């Protein structure tokens, strides 16, 4: 299962969502905080899951099947192309 920690108004999250749509991948979207370095937390539970990966940064992808986690839209898009594209 793919999980995307993101924000609807974040251009980097949009890039990843568009890639997920392009490849026809199903995923669960979590909205832990607003975009920006100091974005307000909107969901405490998913925010804790986000920062458990080591950063407070969106987008953040969790691929539970492959046990892979990663930040950064460019890295995520490349990963999706490689494994799901």
């Amino acid at each position: 299962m793919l999980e995307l920690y993101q924000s609807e108004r974040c251009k980097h999250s949009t890039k990843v969502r568009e890639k997920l749509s392009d490849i026809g991948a199903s995923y669960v979207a979590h909205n832990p905080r607003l975009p920006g370095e100091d974005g307000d937390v909107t969901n405490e539970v998913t925010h804790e899951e986000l920062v458990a990966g080591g950063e407070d940064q969106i987008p953040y992808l969790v691929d539970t099947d492959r046990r892979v986690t990663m930040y950064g839209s460019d890295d995520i898009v490349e990963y999706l192309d490689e494994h799901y594209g």
Side-chain angles (χ1 to χ4, degrees):
M1 175 172 66
L2 296 173
E3 297 184 59
L4 178 63
Y5 293 76
Q6 54 104 50
S7 176
E8 294 297 319
R9 296 182 298 194
C10 171
K11 66 180 180 180
H12 303 290
S13 296
T14 299
K15 179 178 181 176
V16 174
R17 285 193 313 272
E18 288 174 353
K19 174 51 73 178
L20 287 162
S21 292
D22 288 347
I23 62 175
S26 297
Y27 66 98
V28 175
H30 301 288
N31 296 286
R33 65 175 179 79
L34 298 175
E37 287 184 32
D38 297 322
D40 292 337
V41 173
T42 56
N43 184 314
E44 290 290 337
V45 172
T46 58
H47 185 259
E48 288 178 18
E49 294 167 356
L50 168 71
V51 298
E55 302 286 335
D56 186 1
Q57 176 184 329
I58 53 176
Y60 173 61
L61 182 76
V62 176
D63 183 343
T64 58
D65 293 339
R66 290 187 167 88
R67 296 185 178 149
V68 171
T69 62
M70 65 179 51
Y71 295 95
S73 58
D74 291 337
D75 291 339
I76 294 170
V77 166
E78 183 179 317
Y79 174 81
L80 292 170
D81 272 337
E82 183 177 329
H83 295 283
Y84 294 93

